[in-house]
Amino acid sequence: MVRRLRSVRVRAALSAALAAAVVFGAGGWWLRDVVRAQWLNAAREKAARDAFSVTYGFESGTEPGRGIDFSFAVILTDGRRAVVSGPVFDDDLDRPLPGFPPRVGWGIHTVPGKGQFVVGTTDVLPADRIKKLTGIGGRTAQRLTVYVLVSTADAKTAVATIDRLLGWGLPVAVPFVGLIAWFVTGRALRPVEAIRAKMADISVHALDQRVPVPATGDEITRLALTTNETLDRLEHAHHRQQRFVADASHELRTPLAGLRNSLEIALAYPDRTDWPITVATTLADVDRLQRLAEDLLLLASPARAASTTSDLAGIVEEQVAERAHTRDGPAFTAHTTRPALVRESETRLARIVRNLLDNAARHARTEVTATVAVTDGGVTLTVTDDGPGVPPEDRERIFERFVRLDDARTRADGGAGLGLTIVRDLVTGLGGTVRVTGRSTFVVTLPGDQA
């Protein structure tokens, strides 16, 4: 039960029903007051017209009360009643009428227990006219005060009608609004439930499945599209991980097999083993395993923001100077512009430079040139060799893991195929780009640090 109350559909229905109760209830009371005020205003206007007709009858000398269907009283200046009509007043004309004092002018007067009255005053009437119209003689010329009851019967009838509508309509309207909200929310959330059910069925062994995309074009459609895009990235990352694990296992298996083979032969034939050569061979395999493990760990480590700034020109000059003293291999030259500041540690920048120079050295015939230039807001590193070059169709593939364009080259000469992959990952992590242009020119563009 608690779980059902927590559902969006139930909460939407209950919220809609509560809102309907508040709106209809408040609106009903507001309408009730408005209708009551309108009918009371209409009753006051009618009472004012009736009071005017009575005063006009006295002033014109016609008999008041004939054809009149409303309650009114005419008060003399001494407070005694001259004429009364209607159930609100009694018929005793010998005593004053409590709560109905003589007045001059027009207005509204409320008498407790009697109601609200419109009060009007006649002009000064002669004594004979007063006697003729009221039957009361012995009076001097005076004004008469007329009280006409403001009838609330129509207002009470209109309010009672609204009360009946609220009493019957509110209990029906509130559940009806809640039911409509339940139905509409259910239809709106049906695609969400389909997405949830499909996501529950997707596992690591079924990453090719996708959630259904509704054709409504609303937020749920965008949610489904985003979910499918996320699943695409997850599937791609999963396949890349599988390929990486398989390739890494294959790369590790070869030096391990060679190392095991050398050690097993040495142990089987210790007297005929050239131990210095065996140790040197084993050490070379261990070095290769160590480099491969370091490369794999570097690829697996997440990129992080650097807090230091390094001079890329100085790193390139240092590495080119180290390689310039070697007798074997191509000649290395550097052309740099200082300072070429990049916000990154020297270790990671040196890894980018070293991998690019190692790659160029393996393919160059006689010369490798490294150039560092400072551009607007950036630093560009260019490494060029005079080797056979990279075919245009392979200029993107060479940055993938364990890719070697020369299949005939031995792994000892060609490396593990991770150097350019590391370059791409490090450069991308810095917000830069790396690409191959011309025949065999690698161009790395990095954001500069102007601080």
Side-chain angles (χ1 to χ4, degrees):
M1 181 66 180
V2 176
R3 184 178 179 182
R4 290 184 177 180
L5 291 177
R6 291 178 178 176
S7 69
V8 175
R9 192 176 187 183
V10 171
R11 293 203 304 269
L14 292 178
S15 300
L18 179 60
V22 172
V23 171
F24 290 156
W29 282 106
W30 173 81
L31 179 63
R32 187 177 185 271
D33 291 340
V34 169
V35 170
R36 183 175 181 274
Q38 289 178 344
W39 280 103
L40 287 178
N41 289 334
R44 293 189 187 98
E45 293 175 357
K46 180 180 182 301
R49 292 193 298 270
D50 294 339
F52 179 79
S53 67
V54 173
T55 57
Y56 177 77
F58 276 98
E59 291 174 349
S60 62
T62 59
E63 181 179 357
R66 177 175 297 179
I68 294 178
D69 59 351
F70 52 87
S71 297
F72 72 95
V74 180
I75 309 298
L76 300 174
T77 55
D78 60 1
R80 294 182 180 277
R81 292 165 288 182
V83 179
V84 294
S85 175
V88 177
F89 311 100
D90 54 41
D91 296 330
D92 187 2
L93 301 178
D94 295 333
R95 59 184 178 85
L97 191 62
F100 296 88
R103 295 184 56 173
V104 177
W106 289 80
I108 299 294
H109 182 68
T110 301
V111 180
K114 296 294 185 179
Q116 195 175 72
F117 295 84
V118 172
V119 183
T121 306
T122 67
D123 295 334
V124 177
L125 303 179
D128 57 347
R129 186 179 300 177
I130 294 175
K131 181 178 180 181
K132 173 184 176 182
L133 296 177
T134 64
I136 301 175
R139 303 292 178 177
T140 61
Q142 58 184 284
R143 296 177 183 273
L144 300 181
T145 303
V146 178
Y147 284 85
V148 177
L149 177 67
V150 177
S151 177
T152 59
D154 293 337
K156 290 180 179 179
T157 301
V159 170
T161 302
I162 294 177
D163 289 341
R164 286 194 299 271
L165 290 176
L166 290 176
W168 287 98
L170 195 62
V172 175
V174 171
F176 177 75
V177 171
L179 184 62
I180 294 298
W182 169 276
F183 176 75
V184 173
T185 306
R187 288 186 60 86
L189 293 178
R190 191 175 300 169
V192 177
E193 176 60 24
I195 294 174
R196 186 207 63 80
K198 192 62 177 180
M199 289 293 293
D201 293 337
I202 296 176
S203 64
V204 70
H205 301 294
L207 289 177
D208 58 331
Q209 300 185 36
R210 296 295 179 266
V211 300
V213 179
T216 54
D218 54 7
E219 291 83 356
I220 299 178
T221 299
R222 294 194 293 272
L223 172 63
L225 292 174
T226 303
T227 301
N228 286 337
E229 292 173 358
T230 303
L231 291 174
D232 290 337
R233 291 192 295 269
L234 288 176
E235 182 183 14
H236 181 66
H238 177 68
H239 291 331
R240 286 187 60 187
Q241 182 185 21
Q242 286 182 324
R243 291 195 302 269
F244 176 74
V245 171
D247 293 339
S249 300
H250 178 72
E251 293 295 329
L252 290 172
R253 186 182 298 114
T254 301
L256 284 175
L259 182 60
R260 181 184 182 88
N261 185 53
S262 298
L263 294 176
E264 286 179 349
I265 293 176
L267 289 177
Y269 306 99
D271 298 335
R272 291 179 290 177
T273 299
D274 189 342
W275 287 103
I277 296 178
T278 301
V279 172
T281 303
T282 303
L283 183 59
D285 289 336
V286 171
D287 289 340
R288 185 181 173 202
L289 284 173
Q290 184 177 358
R291 290 194 303 270
L292 182 58
E294 291 175 353
D295 289 344
L296 293 176
L297 288 175
L298 183 59
L299 289 174
S301 63
R304 56 187 181 276
S307 58
T308 60
T309 300
S310 304
D311 186 1
L312 181 61
I315 295 173
V316 171
E317 291 174 357
E318 180 181 352
Q319 293 207 20
V320 169
E322 291 177 357
R323 297 168 185 269
H325 296 293
T326 59
R327 296 182 178 180
D328 298 333
F332 286 84
T333 57
H335 305 282
T336 61
T337 301
R338 285 201 179 205
L341 301 180
V342 178
R343 183 171 292 277
E344 183 54 271
S345 64
E346 289 188 5
T347 302
R348 298 174 78 88
L349 289 178
R351 190 59 178 271
I352 296 174
V353 175
R354 183 170 63 251
N355 286 4
L356 288 176
L357 293 179
D358 288 344
N359 178 76
R362 281 194 295 268
H363 298 87
R365 293 189 178 94
T366 59
E367 184 181 8
V368 175
T369 302
T371 303
V372 177
V374 178
T375 60
D376 294 337
V379 176
T380 301
L381 168 63
T382 304
V383 177
T384 304
D385 64 79
D386 58 354
V390 181
E393 64 273 12
D394 294 325
R395 290 179 180 177
E396 289 296 328
R397 192 170 68 90
I398 60 174
F399 293 103
E400 298 179 2
R401 296 172 179 177
F402 305 108
V403 170
R404 301 179 186 85
L405 298 184
D406 188 0
D407 296 333
R409 187 166 58 246
T410 64
R411 282 182 166 81
D413 295 333
L418 293 176
L420 295 180
T421 303
I422 293 175
V423 170
R424 181 195 59 186
D425 287 1
L426 293 178
V427 170
T428 303
L430 289 174
T433 59
V434 56
R435 66 187 189 278
V436 181
T437 63
R439 191 172 61 178
S440 57
T441 299
F442 288 79
V443 181
V444 175
T445 301
L446 299 174
D449 187 1
Q450 304 298 328

